[in-house]
Amino acid sequence: MNEKGISNQKLTDLLDTAKSNDVGYERVLSAMCTYPHDVAVQAHTKFIEANMGDPGLFPGTYSLEKEVINMMGQLLHCSSVHGYITTGGTESNIQALRTMVNSSNVANPNVIVPESAHFSFDKIANILGIEVKKAELDSKFKVDIGSVKSLIDSNTIGLVGIAGSTEFGQIDPINSLSDIALENNLYLHVDAAFGGFVIPFLETSYHFDFVLDGVTSIALDPHKMGFSTIPSGGILFRNREDLNHLQTHTPYLTISTQSSLTGTRSGASVAATYAVMSYLGKEGYRQIVKQCMDLTNDLVEGAKKIGINPLIEPVMNVVTLDVQDPDTLRARLRDEFGWYVSITRNPRALRLVLMPHLTHKNLDLFLQDLEKLVKIG
Ligand SMILES: *Cc1c(COP(=O)(O)O)cnc(C)c1O
């Protein structure tokens, strides 16, 4: 750090230089985040100093949080949910599994997740010191129910289902998981970090949320398809007591207990999420999701025309393409054409996320570049 501060102009130059080195989203097909909506950015700025870790000082912002949690609960078929705005899917998943652990009397607890689970569950196993067992997937990359059942033992405290898997955009059979959870008296956490703001707005309807009695908690990320600012996540519990299992005493704040993982917590994210959800309404989200699905269908059609097939017909705006040597293809797409794509773990395929920052025109360009590389080999 300098002894003397730099001028505003110099600072602006430094920041602009750094920013110009960032990749614009226009050629990014690997990200689940995108440009936040303008109303979210404005609200974020307006509430920049609000700390939800000490809500007694910010009752106005806190009331927005209660409302936005209610809005999310209603979207996911629960009229009275309990939760808060987290930093994202990782924190939401941590909290869901912490609740399972804190309410159980099992000495060596385990939780069963699909093999397609997000890597946050590996962090969770490490942090909570629990075993995270991975259930096999079926040929459509949904969790195999037989495999889940076979993994349940006397130390199992909960199950996780994914509604919108990070790699395949697939939805697990949450209804079957819900039945198993009820039969075995287990928690069922649904990781809808990506799908939570997609599935309710698709033309096809799926049962994946609190409409199923066995579902005890859901994670959904406003900073992905919710078009809020980073960091905005959501954790929702059906039962108040499950949030209470996370309580810590907070002796020197305006409140006496806290259930969040972080202490100081962004009120800006709360306001941003409230703003964009209120402004867009279901109609607005439906429109954007349709736009993303149109892009998705165009991409799949175009890929098939050049002889590349998807691993599964896309359920949401995530596409996996069966290509030879995806690692080389990924590097060449980036180095020769400036496209950012990613790769699934198992099997290794090209993974593309069709976010609203993409356009039909850019997808045509992408397909042309892809064709050049697969033809030349
Ligand atoms: C993105 C994602 C996460 C992690 O969310 P972060 O906001 O990056 O912490 C967890 N689960 C799923 C299914 C995701 O797609």
Side-chain angles (χ1 to χ4, degrees):
M1 197 177 187
N2 298 328
E3 185 56 36
K4 272 185 168 234
I6 60 173
S7 71
N8 213 329
Q9 187 53 54
K10 173 91 176 117
L11 177 62
T12 305
D13 292 346
L14 288 169
L15 294 178
D16 286 347
T17 304
K19 182 129 178 124
S20 70
N21 286 330
D22 287 351
V23 176
Y25 273 121
E26 287 70 20
R27 285 189 169 230
V28 174
L29 293 107
S30 57
M32 289 189 143
C33 290
T34 186
Y35 295 110
H37 197 286
D38 282 345
V39 298
V41 176
Q42 282 162 22
H44 191 105
T45 310
K46 190 174 278 186
F47 285 78
I48 200 71
E49 75 281 10
N51 172 16
M52 288 293 87
D54 204 0
L57 297 180
F58 304 95
T61 321
Y62 189 52
S63 70
L64 294 184
E65 182 169 41
K66 278 192 262 182
E67 274 201 54
V68 80
I69 290 297
N70 270 332
M71 282 196 259
M72 288 190 202
Q74 278 162 19
L75 181 66
L76 303 183
H77 298 104
C78 187
S79 52
S80 67
V81 281
H82 309 276
Y84 72 95
I85 296 295
T86 66
T87 51
T90 302
E91 181 181 345
S92 301
N93 288 340
I94 292 173
Q95 293 292 73
L97 269 64
R98 255 183 87 208
T99 290
M100 297 183 191
V101 172
N102 288 355
S103 67
S104 89
N105 306 314
V106 178
N108 293 305
N110 67 64
V111 173
I112 301 166
V113 310
E115 213 173 72
S116 52
H118 184 264
F119 56 78
S120 50
F121 289 95
D122 297 331
K123 299 182 185 176
I124 294 170
N126 177 247
I127 293 169
L128 297 180
I130 61 172
E131 188 187 356
V132 171
K133 295 191 187 184
K134 302 213 168 149
E136 288 168 20
L137 307 183
D138 67 16
S139 61
K140 302 277 182 217
F141 307 105
K142 296 182 195 186
V143 76
D144 182 89
I145 292 300
S147 175
V148 171
K149 281 185 182 163
S150 72
L151 290 174
I152 296 176
D153 61 28
S154 56
N155 291 330
T156 303
I157 56 171
L159 310 176
V160 173
I162 308 173
S165 59
T166 312
E167 291 175 300
F168 305 103
Q170 185 54 284
I171 306 171
D172 286 328
I174 309 292
N175 51 348
S176 306
L177 292 175
S178 167
D179 292 343
I180 299 173
L182 292 171
E183 279 161 28
N184 294 275
N185 198 23
L186 298 172
Y187 276 93
L188 172 57
H189 173 62
V190 175
D191 182 356
F194 185 75
F197 280 95
V198 181
I199 304 167
F201 308 115
L202 289 171
E203 278 172 14
T204 313
S205 77
Y206 296 90
H207 284 175
F208 76 101
D209 58 21
F210 290 116
V211 82
L212 301 168
D213 289 338
V215 173
T216 46
S217 58
I218 302 181
L220 76 168
D221 276 0
H223 67 203
K224 288 182 176 169
M225 283 291 286
F227 316 115
S228 188
T229 52
I230 297 172
S232 304
I235 178 68
L236 309 176
F237 293 98
R238 185 195 294 274
N239 300 313
R240 170 87 229 173
E241 71 221 46
D242 285 332
L243 188 60
N244 294 348
H245 289 308
L246 299 169
Q247 265 179 5
T248 302
H249 284 281
T250 51
Y252 29 76
L253 300 180
T254 53
I255 40 157
S256 56
T257 63
Q258 192 175 74
S259 300
S260 54
L261 183 63
T262 59
T264 300
R265 190 159 72 77
S266 170
S269 298
V270 167
T273 304
Y274 173 84
V276 64
M277 287 185 74
S278 305
Y279 184 81
L280 287 177
K282 288 185 185 171
E283 196 181 55
Y285 280 105
R286 224 174 272 132
Q287 230 167 41
I288 304 176
V289 166
K290 178 166 188 320
Q291 196 184 311
C292 293
M293 290 312 293
D294 287 346
L295 290 167
T296 302
N297 295 330
D298 266 17
L299 179 81
V300 170
E301 251 178 60
K304 284 178 179 169
K305 273 191 196 139
I306 56 172
I308 302 174
N309 288 312
L311 290 183
I312 53 167
E313 287 304 319
V315 175
M316 54 189 75
N317 49 331
V318 180
V319 174
T320 44
L321 295 179
D322 188 7
V323 293
Q324 297 209 329
D325 196 0
D327 296 271
T328 305
L329 196 55
R330 175 198 202 179
R332 294 189 64 188
L333 281 166
R334 187 194 56 214
D335 298 343
E336 295 173 35
F337 302 107
W339 298 107
Y340 285 77
V341 301
S342 60
I343 293 178
T344 54
R345 292 168 292 185
N346 179 30
R348 292 186 76 74
L350 218 55
R351 166 185 175 269
L352 311 167
V353 188
L354 287 303
M355 296 299 286
H357 54 248
L358 295 164
T359 59
H360 290 275
K361 183 167 157 272
N362 270 9
L363 281 191
D364 284 345
L365 292 174
F366 172 74
L367 283 165
Q368 283 169 25
D369 293 340
L370 184 64
E371 187 175 16
K372 284 176 213 155
L373 294 181
V374 290
K375 267 202 179 144
I376 303 162

